[in-house]
Amino acid sequence: DVKVTQSSRYLVKRTGEKVFLECVQDMDHENMFWYRQDPGLGLRLIYFSYDVKMKEKGDIPEGYSVSREKKERFSLILESASTNQTSMYLCASSLPGGGTTNEKLFFGSGTQLSVL
Amino acid sequence: AQKVTQAQTEISVVEKEDVTLDCVYETRDTTYYLFWYKQPPSGELVFLIRRNSFDEQNEISGRYSWNFQKSTSSFNFTITASQVVDSAVYFCALSRNQAGTALIFGKGTTLSVSS
């Protein structure tokens, strides 16, 4: 079975800190995604990547950046954390599907980030 | 514009009741995919089903069934004889068959099944 592992389940940071959220998948998937989930807003896409060193902005990329140096690892970076970035962050991966998202997503368990 | 609407924010039922979760989508594409995901209290979203736009056959998997109707742009999900373990947030999602685009999720429906 595919496993998507997020490094932390809970994280508490202070405003202004640089925050790294790590995600690793073990099934050689080309596609990787970062979503944030907030009550009443559902899942919103922050960034995604179709290949190593490639990245695409999602719906809400402001205040975030990403890094994909290796195929199995996709990192989300909060350059200067703010309180409005307190959220559940979900990483996902999938097969390429020709660069589309027609294939099912495999999700990690999420990281609940609190910015104080 | 692509959009997925799950009008039911929360649903509460008693065990053994049948429950239907609604999903309405908007797209101008002729080729697209629809998904349902389940998010139990543990937090990890789990894939339930994928349908492509050319396959309108209804599907049944145990107590779960899905009704896809292009005429009404709906992809509804029914749980028969609900159980407490069905308590979760359920998301409907739409994928465009186009490189460089990502999955669009509805806002989710929280289902609570009590014993």
Side-chain angles (χ1 to χ4, degrees):
Chain A
D1 276 351
V2 175
K3 191 153 181 70
V4 179
T5 303
Q6 294 183 232
S7 53
S8 304
R9 187 73 176 94
Y10 299 96
L11 210 52
V12 180
K13 296 292 181 181
R14 298 234 175 251
T15 54
E17 278 193 73
K18 190 169 185 175
V19 181
F20 292 85
L21 301 183
E22 305 288 346
C23 176
V24 177
Q25 50 93 5
D26 64 1
M27 281 301 290
D28 205 34
H29 284 172
E30 274 80 0
N31 295 343
M32 295 190 76
F33 307 83
W34 275 107
Y35 289 87
R36 64 176 281 177
Q37 182 178 10
D38 300 286
L41 297 178
L43 274 70
R44 293 179 293 167
L45 182 66
I46 305 171
Y47 268 98
F48 57 105
S49 169
Y50 289 122
D51 203 348
V52 176
K53 297 191 187 292
M54 291 183 64
K55 60 184 179 183
E56 296 280 349
K57 291 181 180 179
D59 300 319
I60 51 166
E62 297 77 20
Y64 303 94
S65 62
V66 291
S67 172
R68 186 128 183 243
E69 296 295 321
K70 293 184 178 181
K71 192 176 186 180
E72 67 270 18
R73 186 180 296 270
F74 192 35
S75 303
L76 180 69
I77 303 156
L78 286 66
E79 296 291 341
S80 178
S82 63
T83 54
N84 63 13
Q85 292 178 311
T86 292
S87 184
M88 171 68 82
Y89 290 87
L90 295 167
C91 176
S93 72
S94 73
L95 290 169
T100 67
T101 49
N102 297 334
E103 299 296 323
K104 67 181 182 181
L105 297 179
F106 294 85
F107 283 87
S109 298
T111 296
Q112 179 62 52
L113 173 67
S114 297
V115 182
L116 306 177
Chain B
Q2 322 293 314
K3 189 178 178 183
V4 175
T5 301
Q6 295 180 254
Q8 304 149 308
T9 306
E10 295 182 16
I11 301 176
S12 294
V13 299
V14 178
E15 253 189 329
K16 298 184 183 177
E17 280 188 47
D18 298 347
V19 57
T20 295
L21 309 182
D22 297 332
C23 173
V24 174
Y25 62 92
E26 295 177 29
T27 181
R28 292 180 183 171
D29 296 338
T30 54
T31 302
Y32 52 89
Y33 292 79
L34 294 162
F35 298 78
W36 275 95
Y37 286 86
K38 174 183 179 180
Q39 185 180 37
S42 60
E44 185 174 324
L45 275 84
V46 176
F47 167 85
L48 294 178
I49 189 171
R50 180 186 76 165
R51 306 295 285 180
N52 73 54
S53 52
F54 297 107
D55 184 1
E56 287 192 72
Q57 267 195 326
N58 291 332
E59 180 150 342
I60 298 174
S61 175
R63 296 184 296 108
Y64 295 173
S65 62
W66 291 269
N67 185 325
F68 176 28
Q69 292 197 335
K70 285 179 76 171
S71 60
T72 55
S73 297
S74 65
F75 186 43
N76 296 337
F77 173 32
T78 297
I79 302 174
T80 303
S82 59
Q83 299 176 2
V84 172
V85 293
D86 296 326
S87 297
V89 183
Y90 291 87
F91 292 95
C92 181
L94 168 68
S95 172
R96 305 180 65 186
N97 188 36
Q98 179 177 330
T101 62
L103 211 56
I104 300 163
F105 282 87
K107 292 184 179 180
T109 297
T110 300
L111 174 65
S112 298
V113 182
S114 57
S115 56

